[in-house]
Amino acid sequence: MTFSPSQPSGAASGAAPSHPGLAAHAARVRVLQPGLRVHADDAVDPVDATAHGQCAPGLHLVFLLEGGLDVAYGERRVLLATGAGGERERAGQACCVMVNVTEPERFTRRTRHGGYARRLSLCVSHDWLLQLQAASGTRMPSALESLMTGHLAMRSWQPSARAIALAERVLRPPACAPMLELLHQDSRLLDLLAEALAPLQAGEPAPEAPALNAALARRLRDLREFLGSAAADELSLDDIARHAGMNVNALQAHFRRAYGSTVFGFVRESRLQRARAALERDGISIKRAAALAGYGSPANFATAFGRRFGITPKDARHAAQR
């Protein structure tokens, strides 16, 4: 993959990367087995840049756990975000899209200085999927077959709690011998791929809902930012609806449609994210982190934390002590 950093108008294109962090993206690509590649990333972007490369045919899964991502497969642009920004957002939640490529295409990734992405990208060749289908002795599900035959066809997927935990363990594996670590990662990645493809066994994917109008989308973005702050932690649903200027039923329906989450689900996620940040950055006590996340019991907090992130609060706290 060739990287071309963003430059002022009139500057020569195709220049060598001005920061080693850009080339490091390509260096993190790993081949699990022929026809199956993975790219894991957990990094802050060092510069404003546009990276170009060649995108091989296959089914591409982009699994974003946190942050934002702006990529394009040919003319098919994909914007993902778990926070503010992006046209395909799942605020405070992991999100995933599958993009099918039937012929070589130009791949583009745009980065902004200070931007953050914790994500996995899987590329599965069509031959690999066809061989797997043949080995199963069954017919390929019609939904998967339809997706694989459409150039730049795309399908969104809302990952389950188990899928999120698998991805977290790939990105932040427990300490063990390098060979065992790779074995653990490969098994989890295959499990994750199975989770992503499972909904396609049931039938054709449902069409995506039309986009919200601009005014309502802005109101919901403003509300989401408010809900992500500590000021909203103790509010009732009626209080939040009044703040948003709509009734409770409309609020719940619009919020779920825009972000794939209930209002309180998003508040709960935001509090867990703040608690994790405080553990990893400041090394606060687990009791204080539990209170920050809205849990009266540290034990209940530890259970919810492990289910969400795939690690214990104690493990997160150790990051601040390194």
XYZ file of all heavy atoms in Angstrom, residues 4 11 41 57 68 71 86 108 114 117 138 152 162 171 175 202-203 227 242 249 253 256 266 285 296-297 304 321:
189
model
N 0.015 8.594 0.775
C 0.224 9.961 0.286
C -0.364 10.941 1.281
O -1.579 11.116 1.338
C -0.459 10.158 -1.080
O 0.035 9.244 -2.015
N 0.537 21.262 -3.977
C 1.708 20.463 -3.614
C 1.729 19.194 -4.434
O 0.716 18.688 -4.891
C 1.659 20.118 -2.116
N -5.724 -2.495 14.715
C -5.220 -1.149 14.959
C -5.753 -0.629 16.281
O -6.944 -0.788 16.577
C -5.679 -0.217 13.838
C -4.567 0.689 13.340
O -3.495 0.670 13.947
O -4.784 1.410 12.348
N -9.989 -8.134 -4.321
C -11.348 -8.674 -4.280
C -11.548 -9.535 -3.029
O -10.626 -10.182 -2.542
C -11.436 -9.520 -5.547
C -10.429 -8.917 -6.476
C -9.298 -8.478 -5.586
N -13.165 6.634 15.452
C -13.772 6.938 14.155
C -12.908 6.417 13.025
O -11.702 6.220 13.174
N -12.920 5.531 5.502
C -12.262 4.753 4.452
C -13.167 4.709 3.224
O -14.364 4.987 3.301
C -11.931 3.312 4.918
C -10.937 3.316 6.065
C -13.206 2.567 5.308
N -19.417 11.501 11.516
C -19.636 10.347 10.667
C -21.080 10.187 10.263
O -21.989 10.525 11.005
N -8.848 3.897 -0.012
C -8.433 5.190 0.543
C -8.767 5.231 2.025
O -9.861 4.819 2.434
C -9.155 6.351 -0.168
O -8.903 6.278 -1.568
C -8.655 7.696 0.355
N -4.575 13.417 15.669
C -5.242 13.208 16.953
C -6.440 12.286 16.880
O -7.021 11.939 17.910
N -8.662 5.321 16.494
C -9.461 4.172 16.060
C -8.931 2.905 16.714
O -7.732 2.639 16.670
C -9.434 4.024 14.544
N -23.192 -28.076 2.043
C -24.505 -27.431 1.969
C -24.469 -26.280 0.975
O -23.394 -25.847 0.545
C -24.929 -26.880 3.346
O -23.947 -25.931 3.788
C -25.036 -27.997 4.370
N -19.106 -3.768 -4.519
C -19.235 -2.703 -3.523
C -20.581 -2.760 -2.802
O -21.041 -1.753 -2.262
C -19.027 -1.321 -4.163
C -17.647 -1.103 -4.818
C -17.507 0.321 -5.315
C -16.505 -1.443 -3.851
N -20.833 -10.843 22.751
C -19.781 -11.854 22.606
C -18.791 -11.441 21.527
O -17.573 -11.595 21.697
C -20.397 -13.209 22.261
C -19.352 -14.313 22.082
C -19.990 -15.673 21.871
N -18.976 -16.714 21.768
C -18.396 -17.096 20.637
N -18.749 -16.512 19.483
N -17.475 -18.049 20.637
N -7.411 -7.486 20.252
C -6.660 -6.233 20.293
C -5.850 -6.084 21.572
O -4.782 -5.472 21.560
C -7.622 -5.045 20.155
C -8.094 -4.775 18.724
C -9.359 -3.947 18.718
C -7.000 -4.069 17.936
N -1.201 -11.558 28.526
C 0.221 -11.853 28.349
C 0.451 -13.359 28.313
O 0.011 -14.087 29.199
C 1.020 -11.227 29.491
N -29.901 -16.481 8.034
C -31.347 -16.410 8.255
C -32.118 -15.897 7.048
O -33.322 -16.068 6.954
C -31.634 -15.525 9.464
N -31.457 -15.229 6.112
C -32.163 -14.685 4.957
C -31.560 -13.387 4.503
O -30.497 -12.972 4.964
N -25.609 13.628 26.773
C -25.714 12.366 27.507
C -24.354 11.762 27.824
O -24.201 11.029 28.799
C -26.527 11.347 26.691
C -28.006 11.668 26.465
C -28.642 10.608 25.583
C -28.748 11.782 27.785
N -37.401 16.113 28.022
C -37.645 17.567 28.076
C -36.449 18.334 27.552
O -36.584 19.331 26.828
C -37.984 17.994 29.502
C -39.428 17.745 29.899
C -39.784 18.454 31.192
N -39.073 17.891 32.327
C -39.518 16.870 33.048
N -40.680 16.301 32.745
N -38.818 16.415 34.076
N -41.602 8.721 23.951
C -41.711 7.709 22.902
C -40.960 8.110 21.640
O -40.251 7.299 21.030
C -43.179 7.444 22.571
C -43.897 6.707 23.693
O -43.267 6.049 24.523
N -45.212 6.836 23.741
N -37.592 6.244 20.038
C -37.627 5.738 18.669
C -36.553 6.376 17.801
O -35.836 5.695 17.058
C -39.010 5.988 18.063
N -32.890 5.275 18.988
C -32.544 3.916 18.592
C -32.303 3.826 17.086
O -31.379 3.148 16.634
C -33.651 2.940 18.998
C -33.333 1.494 18.655
C -34.469 0.580 19.030
N -34.561 0.373 20.459
C -33.820 -0.506 21.125
N -32.933 -1.245 20.473
N -33.953 -0.655 22.421
N -27.104 3.972 26.071
C -25.995 4.852 25.714
C -25.377 5.501 26.949
O -24.152 5.599 27.073
C -26.463 5.929 24.743
C -25.408 6.950 24.438
C -24.305 6.617 23.684
C -25.500 8.243 24.935
C -23.315 7.549 23.414
C -24.516 9.177 24.676
C -23.428 8.829 23.908
N -9.188 3.965 42.173
C -9.558 2.698 42.800
C -10.761 2.099 42.074
O -11.549 2.806 41.429
C -9.908 2.913 44.269
O -11.124 3.641 44.393
N -23.325 0.615 42.577
C -23.089 0.660 44.016
C -22.205 -0.469 44.491
O -21.576 -0.372 45.541
N -22.159 -1.537 43.725
C -21.371 -2.709 44.098
C -20.182 -2.869 43.157
O -20.371 -3.020 41.937
C -22.246 -3.970 44.026
O -21.470 -5.137 43.986
N -20.025 -6.298 34.851
C -20.434 -5.519 33.679
C -19.223 -5.072 32.865
O -19.245 -5.095 31.627
C -21.247 -4.300 34.125
N -0.212 1.957 35.833
C 0.961 1.754 36.698
C 2.183 1.332 35.921
O 3.257 1.180 36.471
C 0.612 0.707 37.756
C -0.558 1.116 38.630
C -1.066 -0.039 39.505
O -0.594 -1.170 39.382
N -2.024 0.249 40.372
